[in-house]
Amino acid sequence: MDATHISLAHGNGGRFMRELIDDCFLRHLGAGLDTDLDAAPIDLPTGQVVVTTDGFVVQPIEFPGGDIGSLAVHGTVNDLAVAGAEPRALTVNVILEEGVEVALVERVAASLGVAAAACGVPVVAGDTKVVGRGEGGGIFLATTGVGVRDPALRLAMGEIEVGDRLIVSGTVGDHGTAVMLAREQFGLRGDLTSDSAPLLAACRALRALPGLRFMRDPTRGGLATVCHDIVRATGFGVRLDGPAIPVRDPVASVCEMLGYDPYYLACEGRVVAVVAEATADAALTALHGAGCVDAAVIGTVVDAPARLVLTTELGGERFLEELEDDPLPRIC
Amino acid sequence: MDATHISLAHGNGGRFMRELIDDCFLRHLGAGLDTDLDAAPIDLPTGQVVVTTDGFVVQPIEFPGGDIGSLAVHGTVNDLAVAGAEPRALTVNVILEEGVEVALVERVAASLGVAAAACGVPVVAGDTKVVGRGEGGGIFLATTGVGVRDPALRLAMGEIEVGDRLIVSGTVGDHGTAVMLAREQFGLRGDLTSDSAPLLAACRALRALPGLRFMRDPTRGGLATVCHDIVRATGFGVRLDGPAIPVRDPVASVCEMLGYDPYYLACEGRVVAVVAEATADAALTALHGAGCVDAAVIGTVVDAPARLVLTTELGGERFLEELEDDPLPRIC
C-alpha cells in the first residue's frame, strides 16, 4: 500500500481498507485467514469447546520484550491454557487511530502473526475499524480464542482445599515494571523486559498432575489479585511466603524507588497454580521441566482468616488489601 | 456501584472493576456469563463451527433505532446468519474512556443483553479495559460470534453464475442516514431510524432454497461495496436496476440534499442474496414470509463488463465506482 499513515478511509469498507487488509494484515496473518468470508469455518477435535476474550490497550504499543500484537496472542492463548485447553483459533479486532504510522501497524501485525504461529494457532477472522485523531489510542486490539479441552479435567476455584499449595511459574512484576519504564515518564532506564510469553508448555505439564486444582495467569492486578479472587471464591485464607516469591532484583529496586508493590503488578507469561500439598513437589519438577527455572512454591491455602496474608523475611505478617486505585493504567 | 463516571480504576483488575462488572455487565448479560472463569465452556451441536468478529466504534453511541450495544449483537449475529449459521455464543470486549457516564455504560449493557436474548445467543465471555480521557471514543465494543451450520450448505461467491439475480431484503441506507442525522452536525432532523436488526429469520428462510448461492449484509460501504466484492471475486459484472432498489423517501431526500449516494451507505439489518434466476420468485416469497416487506429483486449477474453498472429510471446507465473517500466515519 502507498499510504504511510492511517486515514479514516482505511476504515470505510472500500479500496483503501482492502489494501490495508491485503498488504498489511493478510501478509502476516494470512495462512488461515480468508477475507472473503463473513464467518470462517474452524475444525475442532473432540472435547469440550471453551472461548475467552481480551482487549489490549497497552501504552506504549511497543515495549521491551514485546508489543501489543504478541501480548494479545499471549494473553488470549494463556487464558485458554490456564483453563486446561489447547488453542485452536483466534479472532482479532483492530481499532486504529487516524494518523498512526502504517509501519507501526505492520510491525504489530507481523509480531501478532509470529506469536500466533509459535503457539500453533491460526488467526481465522478479523475486523478493522479506524477512529478519528484524538478518539483512540494509536492501536487497540481485541482478541477472542477458541480452544478444546478434555471434558474430564476439573479445574476450578471450587476444587481448592485447605492445605493446598500455591505455585508461581516464574518471577512476578516483570511486565508491569517493563511497560512502566518504557513510558519514560520516570526518567529511568533498566534492562528489564516484559515476561510476555505463552504458557502452553507450563500448563500442559501441570494439567497432567492429578492434584492440580486451579490455574490462573496473574495479569492486571498481579499475584495479589489472583489470591484475592481465590479468597473471595473459596472463603478460605491465603498465606503467601514473602521470601519465597521470586522477584527480579531490578524489579524490586524499581518498585522500591517508585513505591509500587510487585505483587500487584501485571505478569504476562506466568501461571499461578493451586495444587494438593502432596502434589507440590511434582508440580515444581514439572514446571522446571517445562523451562520455568524460577518456579517456586509461594504459599498455602489456610482455613482462616479469609484474607490474604504475607509473611515477611523477618517473620512478621501483613495483610495485602484488594487493589483500589489503578497503579498503572493501560498496562495490557 | 457508587461511581457516576468511569475512572481508570474501573480497568485495573481490582475492586472497582469487579463492581463495574458485577453491577453493570453481569446484571444485564449474566445468564450465560461466569466471571470466575478464564475461558468459558460452550456446548455446540453437531455441524460445522464458524466464527466471526467485529469492532464497533459508532458515534453517537446511541442513535434512533439502536445503540452500540444492540448494533454489536446484530452485526455479529448477522455475519453468522449470512454464512448460513445459527449463533451459539457471543464474546464481548468493552473499551471505555475515562469520564464516560456509568449510566450510559449501563444502558448499552442492557441493550446488548436484550438484543442477545432476542437472538437466542448467550454472552459467554467478556473483558473490560479503561483508557484515559482523550485516548478513546466513549465506548468501543468488539464482539466475536461462534455459530454452527449444516456442513452440506454451499454458500460462497464462487458459486455465483451468470444470470443469477440479486435480491435485497429491504430498504438501503437507513442506518447510515440515521446515524449521520443523529450527529446533528448538519442541523437536520428526520424521522429516520436505523434498520439495525437481526437477519436470522430472513437468512433461515433463504437458506432453505436450493438455488441460493451467496448472502452478505451490506454494512460499511453499503450495497455498492457488496456488489464490488462480487465483481472482484467472480470476474463477472453486476447490473443493478436502479428503480427497483428500495430506498425510503426521507433517505433519498437527505442523500440528495447532502450529496450522498444511498447505495454506498451502511445497512445493519438487510441481506443481499444472490440466487439462481429460477429461484428469484421463491426467494422473494420467502423473504416476504420472514417479514421483509420491502424485499425486491434488484439486479443481475452479467458476463461482461466486470464492473458495477446501474440502470437509471430514464433508461440510462452509469458505472458505480469502488468507494475511496470515507463518506461517514464511525458509522458502525
Side-chain angles (χ1 to χ4, degrees):
Chain A
M1 55 190 290
D2 300 330
T4 58
H5 291 78
I6 295 294
S7 69
L8 288 173
H10 286 111
N12 71 353
R15 182 167 72 88
F16 288 106
M17 188 168 108
R18 188 163 47 77
E19 285 179 5
L20 172 68
I21 289 169
D22 287 352
D23 295 353
C24 182
F25 293 114
L26 260 190
R27 197 148 63 82
H28 296 292
L29 312 176
L33 201 55
D34 180 346
T35 56
D36 277 343
L37 300 176
D38 292 289
I42 55 175
D43 280 325
L44 297 177
T46 311
Q48 184 176 47
V49 179
V50 295
V51 292
T52 188
T53 195
D54 258 314
F56 296 89
V57 298
V58 67
Q59 178 63 28
I61 288 164
E62 299 176 300
F63 48 83
D67 59 37
I68 199 169
S70 54
L71 185 67
V73 171
H74 296 154
T76 306
V77 162
N78 289 351
D79 279 347
L80 294 172
V82 298
E86 289 292 318
R88 303 295 300 192
L90 278 183
T91 70
V92 178
N93 259 286
V94 186
I95 299 178
L96 301 172
E97 184 183 1
E98 183 187 16
V100 164
E101 268 194 283
V102 170
L104 175 62
V105 179
E106 273 224 59
R107 290 199 300 277
V108 166
S111 166
L112 202 157
V114 167
C119 294
V121 56
V123 175
V124 298
D127 187 53
T128 308
K129 292 286 187 296
V130 179
V131 297
R133 240 175 256 269
E135 300 173 345
I139 303 177
F140 294 152
L141 298 178
T143 45
T144 293
V146 180
V148 176
R149 72 179 169 199
D150 178 353
L153 200 64
R154 290 171 60 89
L155 292 182
M157 287 195 280
E159 303 287 315
I160 294 174
E161 296 177 13
V162 170
D164 285 354
R165 294 291 192 263
L166 277 80
I167 298 182
V168 69
S169 66
T171 54
V172 302
D174 298 41
H175 177 76
T177 319
V179 171
M180 179 169 62
L181 288 185
R183 287 182 194 163
E184 296 185 290
Q185 66 190 71
F186 303 106
L188 288 169
R189 281 278 176 194
D191 55 350
L192 274 167
T193 57
S194 168
D195 55 299
S196 179
L199 288 168
L200 289 168
C203 292
R204 279 177 198 138
L206 287 170
R207 72 175 194 240
L209 302 172
L212 178 67
R213 318 282 201 202
F214 175 72
M215 300 189 280
R216 176 157 289 171
D217 50 334
T219 57
R220 266 183 297 180
L223 171 65
T225 297
V226 172
C227 294
H228 276 291
D229 288 343
I230 293 170
V231 169
R232 193 177 322 107
T234 63
F236 301 138
V238 168
R239 181 175 289 269
L240 288 177
D241 175 13
I245 302 171
V247 181
R248 277 192 213 290
D249 287 341
V251 170
S253 306
V254 166
C255 284
E256 205 175 320
M257 207 178 324
L258 298 174
Y260 289 108
D261 185 335
Y263 307 147
Y264 291 89
L265 295 188
C267 311
E268 293 290 346
R270 307 296 182 223
V271 55
V272 176
V274 184
V275 301
E277 185 180 358
T279 307
D281 286 347
L284 214 51
T285 306
L287 283 171
H288 291 153
C292 304
V293 292
D294 296 315
V297 180
I298 58 165
T300 309
V301 177
V302 296
D303 200 11
R307 295 193 69 171
L308 177 58
V309 179
L310 180 83
T311 57
T312 64
E313 202 140 4
L314 302 172
E317 281 187 357
R318 65 177 172 105
F319 290 116
L320 295 181
E321 301 298 334
E322 193 176 7
L323 195 62
E324 298 224 338
D325 281 337
D326 196 354
L328 293 170
R330 295 187 63 182
I331 203 69
C332 61
Chain B
M1 58 191 288
D2 299 330
T4 57
H5 292 77
I6 295 295
S7 68
L8 288 172
H10 285 110
N12 72 354
R15 182 169 72 88
F16 288 106
M17 189 169 107
R18 189 163 46 76
E19 286 180 3
L20 172 68
I21 289 169
D22 287 353
D23 295 354
C24 183
F25 294 115
L26 260 188
R27 199 148 62 81
H28 296 292
L29 312 176
L33 201 55
D34 181 346
T35 56
D36 277 343
L37 301 176
D38 292 290
I42 54 175
D43 280 326
L44 298 177
T46 311
Q48 185 177 44
V49 180
V50 295
V51 292
T52 187
T53 196
D54 259 314
F56 295 89
V57 299
V58 67
Q59 179 62 27
I61 288 165
E62 300 176 298
F63 49 81
D67 59 39
I68 198 170
S70 54
L71 185 67
V73 172
H74 297 154
T76 307
V77 162
N78 289 351
D79 279 348
L80 294 172
V82 297
E86 290 292 320
R88 303 296 300 191
L90 278 183
T91 70
V92 178
N93 260 285
V94 186
I95 300 178
L96 300 173
E97 184 183 2
E98 183 188 15
V100 164
E101 268 194 282
V102 170
L104 174 62
V105 179
E106 272 225 58
R107 289 198 300 277
V108 166
S111 166
L112 202 156
V114 167
C119 294
V121 57
V123 175
V124 298
D127 188 51
T128 307
K129 291 287 186 296
V130 179
V131 298
R133 240 175 257 269
E135 299 172 347
I139 304 177
F140 294 153
L141 297 179
T143 44
T144 293
V146 180
V148 176
R149 71 178 170 199
D150 178 354
L153 199 65
R154 290 172 60 89
L155 293 180
M157 287 193 281
E159 302 288 316
I160 294 173
E161 297 177 14
V162 169
D164 285 354
R165 293 292 190 263
L166 277 80
I167 297 182
V168 68
S169 66
T171 54
V172 302
D174 298 40
H175 177 76
T177 318
V179 171
M180 179 170 62
L181 288 186
R183 288 182 193 161
E184 298 185 289
Q185 66 192 69
F186 302 107
L188 287 169
R189 281 280 176 191
D191 55 349
L192 274 167
T193 57
S194 167
D195 56 299
S196 178
L199 288 168
L200 289 168
C203 292
R204 280 177 198 138
L206 287 170
R207 74 176 193 240
L209 303 173
L212 178 68
R213 318 283 202 202
F214 175 71
M215 301 189 280
R216 175 156 288 171
D217 50 333
T219 57
R220 267 183 297 181
L223 170 65
T225 298
V226 172
C227 293
H228 276 291
D229 289 344
I230 292 170
V231 168
R232 193 176 322 104
T234 62
F236 301 138
V238 168
R239 180 175 289 269
L240 287 177
D241 175 14
I245 302 171
V247 181
R248 278 191 212 290
D249 286 342
V251 170
S253 304
V254 166
C255 284
E256 205 176 318
M257 207 176 325
L258 298 173
Y260 289 108
D261 185 334
Y263 307 146
Y264 290 90
L265 296 188
C267 312
E268 291 291 347
R270 307 295 182 223
V271 54
V272 175
V274 184
V275 301
E277 185 182 357
T279 307
D281 286 347
L284 213 51
T285 305
L287 283 172
H288 290 154
C292 303
V293 293
D294 295 316
V297 179
I298 57 167
T300 308
V301 177
V302 296
D303 200 12
R307 295 192 71 172
L308 176 58
V309 180
L310 180 82
T311 56
T312 63
E313 202 141 4
L314 301 173
E317 281 189 358
R318 66 178 172 104
F319 290 115
L320 295 181
E321 301 299 334
E322 194 176 5
L323 195 62
E324 297 224 338
D325 282 337
D326 196 353
L328 293 169
R330 294 186 65 182
I331 203 70
C332 60

